[in-house]
DNA sequence: GTCGTTGCAAAGCATTTGCAAGACT
DNA sequence: AGTCTTGCAAATGCTTTGCAACGAC
């Protein structure tokens, strides 16, 4: 399995922090890396509960996830719902997200030019860039289709401020 | 007062939604627009409590803030701490943010080129862009200075989650 | 054996909501 | 007068934490 390298990195990380490699941590780590999609802490917890293996508590899932983020093995992102979603930072280096306001799906994309411009903007402001988070909110291809098929003119307002009935203009 | 225009827009918005212009809503609106910085719901609530005027409950602050966001009078953004911060959308159209991981300060910036590239990326993916949120995380000029003066090495990951206990034996 | 860890349940937080009293239009 | 609103407090939903039992090193 090609996960050996990353697992070793994790074990090294634990060792460096004088933390122990417990059964739970291993299971959480493995399950999290097994998934190449975004998941919430709760989702991961459910997987661990439903699938066979050592019992793991929700608290430990949260704790370990936090550890993984600290160790840069995972990245967390707020997709707008009340919970954080996680994704591992294994192969793919960095990417930004398109979050569908309708189905919640998260697509990834990268644009080197955008990254570069961000850096340039930081230099201009004397800001030391550590990380960034770019989320494009809208409707994915599938939902667009559905919406137009349903004759939805523009999102219903419950979907956020997608279509306020006006745009206040301030005199400035 | 030059807030008349925007206040009128707010009143018009309420009218259109068959909502009433209550003393509380007016006070919340005014106080929120009086501030040209980012603030949390709690902060706004504190201001309203501390400053003289009609009593306003926390619940109403939240409710009204939600209204203001729906009406596009305010914009909310998750600055990484557990709470949303708000900013009015009066004159300045749209901008992105640089959030200082050390002092929490939020600087604004705009880069038309980035905006354009975002749109292009969406077109490529068949994604209908509604809104976006770009946050650059790092250290502001002031904090950079402080940090380097203190001999703080490059950004360590513990800075984000407000984890009080530092990694003691990590690589320093 | 020693600490770090776990699980549980309770606690925390920011935010939301049910409901009865109260205030705009 | 009739609704929309408010305030309160309880509820929510995600996440964190205290603590005693437990397990890795």
């Amino acid at each position: 399995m090609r996960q050996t390298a990353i697992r070793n990195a994790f074990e090294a990380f634990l060792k460096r922090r004088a933390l122990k490699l417990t059964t739970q941590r291993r299971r959480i780590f493995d399950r999290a890396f097994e998934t190449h999609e975004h998941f919430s802490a709760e989702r991961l917890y459910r997987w661990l509960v439903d699938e066979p293996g050592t019992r793991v508590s929700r608290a430990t899932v949260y704790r370990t996830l936090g550890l993984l983020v600290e160790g840069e093995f995972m990245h967390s992102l707020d997709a707008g719902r009340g919970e954080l979603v996680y994704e591992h930072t294994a192969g793919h280096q960095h990417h930004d997200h398109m979050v569908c306001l309708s189905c919640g799906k998260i697509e990834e994309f990268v644009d080197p030019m955008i990254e570069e411009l961000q850096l340039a903007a930081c230099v201009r402001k004397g800001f030391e860039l550590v990380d960034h988070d770019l989320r494009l909110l809208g409707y994915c291809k599938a939902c667009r289709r559905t919406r137009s098929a349903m004759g939805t003119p523009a999102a219903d307002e419950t979907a956020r401020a997608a279509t306020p009935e006006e745009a206040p203009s301030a005199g400035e």
Side-chain angles (χ1 to χ4, degrees), chain A:
Chain A
M1 47 149 100
R2 64 118 164 354
Q3 285 175 334
T4 305
I6 184 73
R7 255 277 288 276
N8 283 343
F10 179 50
E11 296 181 14
F13 168 75
L14 291 177
K15 196 153 294 174
R16 208 173 318 124
R17 302 262 275 223
L19 300 176
K20 289 169 184 172
L21 177 60
T22 63
T23 323
Q24 289 83 337
R25 294 222 251 243
R26 187 166 30 228
R27 190 146 118 84
I28 292 171
F29 181 90
D30 287 346
R31 192 58 183 81
F33 269 81
E34 194 176 296
T35 308
H36 293 286
E37 32 168 317
H38 300 75
F39 57 86
S40 64
E42 181 66 25
R43 178 103 115 230
L44 175 55
Y45 171 65
R46 288 269 70 98
W47 285 333
L48 296 171
V49 166
D50 296 343
E51 297 165 10
T54 310
R55 234 208 124 248
V56 177
S57 72
R58 207 186 254 95
T60 300
V61 170
Y62 277 102
R63 282 190 276 234
T64 305
L65 239 20
L67 222 47
L68 292 176
V69 169
E70 274 184 57
E72 301 257 280
F73 295 95
M74 292 270 158
H75 230 267
S76 67
L77 112 109
D78 177 5
R81 286 109 156 79
E83 60 187 11
L84 292 176
V85 294
Y86 298 82
E87 65 183 336
H88 61 167
T89 53
H92 47 170
Q93 236 354 275
H94 162 78
H95 51 254
D96 296 310
H97 302 92
M98 293 182 188
V99 182
C100 180
L101 294 171
S102 174
C103 67
K105 201 182 108 194
I106 300 176
E107 284 185 77
E108 302 176 354
F109 77 97
V110 217
D111 188 327
M113 194 59 194
I114 291 183
E115 311 276 321
E116 218 168 282
L117 289 170
Q118 287 175 4
L119 209 53
C122 287
V123 171
R124 277 202 296 282
K125 294 269 191 180
F127 190 86
E128 179 188 334
L129 186 58
V130 169
D131 193 9
H132 76 255
D133 176 19
L134 170 58
R135 269 156 44 221
L136 303 185
L137 309 170
Y139 298 96
C140 70
K141 200 183 277 185
C143 288
R144 269 174 85 173
R145 208 153 26 224
T146 308
R147 281 155 46 84
S148 62
M150 285 171 38
T152 315
D156 30 61
E157 62 252 290
T158 47
R160 263 166 118 51
T163 337
E165 39 253 59
E166 62 138 19
S169 54
E172 192 122 9

